[in-house]
Amino acid sequence: MDLESKLMKLCEENGVRDFEGNGHYSNYIFMWSIGMKDIHEKDIYEGDIDSYRSVVTYVDGSDNANLGMDIGWYLQRDNFESWRMIEVGEEIEVLGNIFENPELLER
């Protein structure tokens, strides 16, 4: 079963009925956990914003702009000009995310 089918099944089981196709749900944003917790023991997700106003982002090597970068999780800063790979065990404090707290990126 592919990811989209699994999402559809999970949403249907939980009463979510507004599936639009291609993995899109009109009132929901699915966020990918990076498998680590922040200093407050909360799961860290793609799109989270840390205390340095960096955004958690995944690089998989499919984008030509990221050529030469190792596959993995990164913190991006300064309008995505600066990248730093997240190290296992690194202490990160999550303040919010790009969907619910975009004002955290304003300077």
Side-chain angles (χ1 to χ4, degrees):
M1 181 181 293
D2 66 1
L3 179 60
E4 184 175 323
S5 298
K6 288 178 184 178
L7 285 173
M8 285 179 62
K9 183 176 184 215
L10 179 65
C11 288
E12 288 171 5
E13 289 171 355
N14 289 285
V16 177
R17 303 272 184 241
D18 54 350
F19 181 69
E20 296 176 353
N22 298 320
H24 298 285
Y25 289 78
S26 62
N27 295 319
Y28 302 91
I29 297 170
F30 292 96
M31 296 172 57
W32 189 2
S33 170
I34 74 168
M36 291 174 55
K37 294 188 181 290
D38 79 347
I39 62 171
H40 303 291
E41 291 299 310
K42 295 167 87 175
D43 288 323
I44 301 174
Y45 292 89
E46 183 172 19
D48 278 349
I49 301 169
D50 77 352
S51 57
Y52 297 101
R53 305 304 195 258
S54 299
V55 177
V56 176
T57 306
Y58 183 72
V59 171
D60 65 4
S62 64
D63 183 353
N64 287 339
N66 301 322
L67 288 176
M69 294 176 69
D70 290 332
I71 294 171
W73 292 101
Y74 286 80
L75 290 170
Q76 295 181 337
R77 287 190 65 176
D78 303 321
N79 201 23
F80 303 97
E81 294 290 326
S82 173
W83 298 68
R84 184 177 65 73
M85 186 173 238
I86 297 173
E87 301 293 332
V88 173
E90 182 174 342
E91 291 189 356
I92 297 172
E93 180 178 21
V94 173
L95 301 180
N97 64 64
I98 59 174
F99 306 106
E100 297 173 315
N101 315 100
E103 70 279 359
L104 292 174
L105 297 175
E106 296 173 6
R107 297 198 172 180

